[in-house]
Structures are given as C-alpha cells and as structure tokens.
Amino acid sequence: MAALVDTKILVYRFDGRFPEKQKIATEFLRRGIAEDSIRLPHQAIVEFVAAVTRPIRGRMILQQVEALREAEELLKQFTVLYPNEAILRDAVRGCAAYQLNWFDAHLWSYAEHYGLSEIYSEDLQHDRYYGSVRVVNPFVELR
C-alpha cells in the first residue's frame, strides 16, 4: 500500500544542517521510488520549492534553478496527487474535527480521499490515527 509523504521529508533530503535526517530521508525516498510506495500531494512540491529557496540565516538550501529542477524530478519519480473539491471539503472537516492547521488538514485529506493508510510526517503525532489514516514519523528514532 502506498503512503503519502509530507514536505519536510523532501526538504531534509537536501538540508545538510540535519545530517541524520538527511540520510534517513534520502534512503526513505530512494526506497519509495524503487518500491513505488510513495505518493506526493502536489502541495508538497509547491511547499518544497518555497522551503528550500527561503533564506535561513542568509543561506538557501537550494538556489531557485536547482529547486525547480528537483521539483521536475519529483514529478517524474513519484505519483503526484492533485486536489479537488472533495479534498478541500475534507480539509475543512479535518481542521474542525482534529484541530489540525490548514496545511496538515489538507495533507490528511489527500490521504483520506485517495485511500492511503499512512502519512509520513514529523509534524503530526506519531502513530496517531486521524480517521482511517495513521501517521508515521520516519525520524522518531532520533528523538
């Protein structure tokens, strides 16, 4: 069964400030490509480009041209899921029912809508179910 991946995992793949997370993210994404076990919401690609090109203490993780090239690679390597009205309505419901912020609720609604049983994210509570979707933090061992 395929799982949904949150933006931070994509970002950690390139963020040398966190070498342990970078290694885990790289291995996780490579395995996902080989097994075709990862789905990306289009929102994660949009957020990825914004996150890696935002200056952090005067330094960007990737220059814009590199970030855009990596975004194109993500489109080729993974199945990308796109929103529709039902996903947006579920996101509103997720905000209200689970007290999630808008972006996390939107992520959850993709998984719920597309029948994906897991979301890989460090932003949501590890091993918690939101509806029929379980959250898995791939970095939980680093705590």
Side-chain angles (χ1 to χ4, degrees), residues 12-29:
Y12 283 135
R13 164 67 181 87
F14 297 93
D15 194 344
R17 295 174 304 154
F18 307 98
E20 291 177 321
K21 288 183 178 183
Q22 186 176 34
K23 181 180 180 202
I24 290 169
T26 300
E27 291 170 1
F28 176 80
L29 293 169

Side-chain angles (χ1 to χ4, degrees), residues 48 63-74 76:
F48 166 79
Q63 296 299 312
Q64 185 172 7
V65 68
E66 297 168 307
L68 296 174
R69 186 174 49 246
E70 291 301 333
E72 285 184 328
E73 288 298 315
L74 293 171
K76 288 192 286 187

Side-chain angles (χ1 to χ4, degrees), residues 77-139:
Q77 295 170 325
F78 298 98
T79 299
V80 178
L81 306 177
Y82 296 91
N84 58 32
E85 182 179 343
I87 289 172
L88 292 173
R89 288 184 183 280
D90 278 347
V92 170
R93 185 170 55 90
C95 282
Y98 303 118
Q99 300 298 298
L100 298 172
N101 72 48
W102 174 246
F103 294 102
D104 290 343
H106 200 163
L107 179 69
W108 164 79
S109 68
Y110 274 99
E112 190 76 26
H113 179 79
Y114 286 105
L116 304 175
S117 62
E118 293 181 331
I119 296 173
Y120 283 86
S121 175
E122 75 170 352
D123 291 337
L124 297 166
Q125 184 179 341
H126 176 69
D127 211 27
R128 171 156 181 208
Y129 279 84
Y130 297 88
S132 63
V133 181
R134 177 177 168 252
V135 173
V136 177
N137 180 348
F139 310 111

